[in-house]
Amino acid sequence: MKKFVQFALLPLMVTASLAAVAAPAAKPEKLIQWRQSAYRVAEWNVARLKAALEGQYDKEEAVAAANALEGIAGSGIESLFVPGTEQGKGWHETSAKPEAFKDTKRFAELSLSFSKEAAELAKLVPAADQSAVKAQFGKVTRTCKTCHDAFKGKD
Amino acid sequence: MKKFVQFALLPLMVTASLAAVAAPAAKPEKLIQWRQSAYRVAEWNVARLKAALEGQYDKEEAVAAANALEGIAGSGIESLFVPGTEQGKGWHETSAKPEAFKDTKRFAELSLSFSKEAAELAKLVPAADQSAVKAQFGKVTRTCKTCHDAFKGKD
């Protein structure tokens, strides 16, 4: 395994948002930590939105969570799944299936769906129409599940 | 130590963005993981921006990174530093100094500076005036350092 993985090797440059010409070189451990961290932050903000929708809806809390989720979803996490990181430990052993490195087109498509639905959610939340927010939140979490089913093994 | 920490106990509700009435209850380990993950994602996106500014500037990459950083910086990470999480392990032992739980007003102020400077950066990046981006990027990283000096011990 190479000690450093250049983002320039990236096989996922199928959309403009994934272009990574100038992105940092980093050790596989760090790349895996970054992607595990990004998904864990998504989990946090999904949990905040779920709690807001199930409890007393707090608009400011929901806005902060939705904006964070939009930023994470649009960050290009999939660009961290580069050759040399199929196995290995970040915070923990990677739970990515081999398919994440093989079917990169599908992975990029599902990542883009997550990004689009999260961006739409962030647009809706400030108006605080809870039924609209709830419906869109469902769309976001379905993109999570679809992608997990395809590309995520057990933690 | 309490097994569950209610966000409702939050002593940091000094700004609207920190209101957390409806936020999820979670175990201390999870709360610490979430905050460690959020700062690690900030590190990733700072690294991407640094690489972009030092190498061949890729606007799409810089936009994705700046938007992610804005989302993270504005997410209210400081709301995860609740009583019961002064010590303990998330991904690793917390590196928060005791001051983060004592001087919550100052911590909230520094977190707000990070959020404001990151939001300004995200506004500037799409225009791709690299000297302006570089100057604003410096302001963002100075907010990181100021807060680390005050509230972060060794990893």
Side-chain angles (χ1 to χ4, degrees):
Chain A
M1 190 186 292
K2 282 181 292 296
K3 199 166 179 198
F4 286 84
V5 178
Q6 283 288 344
F7 274 55
L9 297 174
L10 190 65
L12 289 170
M13 294 164 71
V14 290
T15 70
S17 69
L18 294 176
V21 178
K27 291 184 185 178
E29 181 189 352
K30 182 65 86 172
L31 295 169
I32 298 172
Q33 270 188 4
W34 283 340
R35 68 199 194 201
Q36 290 174 341
S37 294
Y39 289 124
R40 193 54 57 115
V41 171
E43 175 197 75
W44 170 39
N45 289 287
V46 164
R48 297 166 87 183
L49 286 159
K50 188 168 181 287
L53 287 165
E54 290 176 353
Q56 191 183 347
Y57 191 78
D58 184 282
K59 191 171 134 180
E60 293 296 337
E61 170 74 5
V63 166
N67 287 344
L69 194 61
E70 179 187 19
I72 288 289
S75 67
I77 309 172
E78 64 281 19
S79 70
L80 295 167
F81 291 77
V82 290
T85 66
E86 294 88 345
Q87 293 183 315
K89 201 172 169 180
W91 296 122
H92 56 79
E93 197 65 32
T94 185
S95 51
K97 287 184 188 170
E99 286 77 5
F101 301 88
K102 289 175 189 163
D103 195 354
T104 53
K105 184 165 175 285
R106 174 83 176 136
F107 191 21
E109 283 167 2
L110 295 184
S111 297
L112 189 61
S113 294
F114 175 36
S115 177
K116 282 183 176 172
E117 299 297 358
E120 185 60 28
L121 181 65
K123 267 187 217 156
L124 286 174
V125 166
D129 172 349
Q130 284 185 55
S131 65
V133 170
K134 202 162 193 170
Q136 186 59 31
F137 179 67
K139 289 189 186 178
V140 172
T141 56
R142 278 193 291 280
T143 69
C144 300
K145 186 177 184 318
T146 304
C147 197
H148 290 177
D149 289 348
F151 297 118
K152 183 175 181 288
K154 288 184 181 171
D155 277 329
Chain B
M1 190 187 290
K2 279 180 295 292
K3 197 165 181 202
F4 287 83
V5 177
Q6 284 288 346
F7 274 55
L9 297 174
L10 190 64
L12 289 169
M13 295 165 71
V14 291
T15 71
S17 69
L18 294 176
V21 177
K27 291 184 185 177
E29 181 188 354
K30 181 66 85 173
L31 296 168
I32 298 173
Q33 270 188 4
W34 283 340
R35 68 200 195 200
Q36 290 174 341
S37 294
Y39 289 124
R40 192 55 57 115
V41 171
E43 175 197 75
W44 170 40
N45 288 288
V46 164
R48 297 167 88 183
L49 286 159
K50 187 168 181 286
L53 287 164
E54 290 177 353
Q56 191 184 346
Y57 191 78
D58 184 282
K59 191 171 135 179
E60 293 295 337
E61 169 75 4
V63 165
N67 287 345
L69 193 61
E70 178 186 20
I72 288 289
S75 67
I77 309 172
E78 63 281 18
S79 70
L80 295 167
F81 291 77
V82 289
T85 66
E86 294 88 345
Q87 294 183 315
K89 201 172 168 180
W91 297 122
H92 56 79
E93 198 64 32
T94 185
S95 51
K97 287 184 188 171
E99 286 77 5
F101 300 87
K102 289 175 189 164
D103 194 354
T104 54
K105 185 165 174 284
R106 174 83 175 137
F107 191 20
E109 283 167 1
L110 294 184
S111 297
L112 189 61
S113 294
F114 175 36
S115 177
K116 282 183 176 172
E117 299 297 359
E120 184 60 28
L121 180 64
K123 268 187 217 157
L124 286 173
V125 166
D129 172 350
Q130 282 185 56
S131 64
V133 170
K134 201 163 193 169
Q136 186 59 31
F137 179 67
K139 288 189 187 178
V140 172
T141 56
R142 279 193 291 280
T143 69
C144 300
K145 186 177 184 318
T146 304
C147 197
H148 289 177
D149 288 349
F151 297 118
K152 183 176 181 287
K154 287 183 182 170
D155 278 328

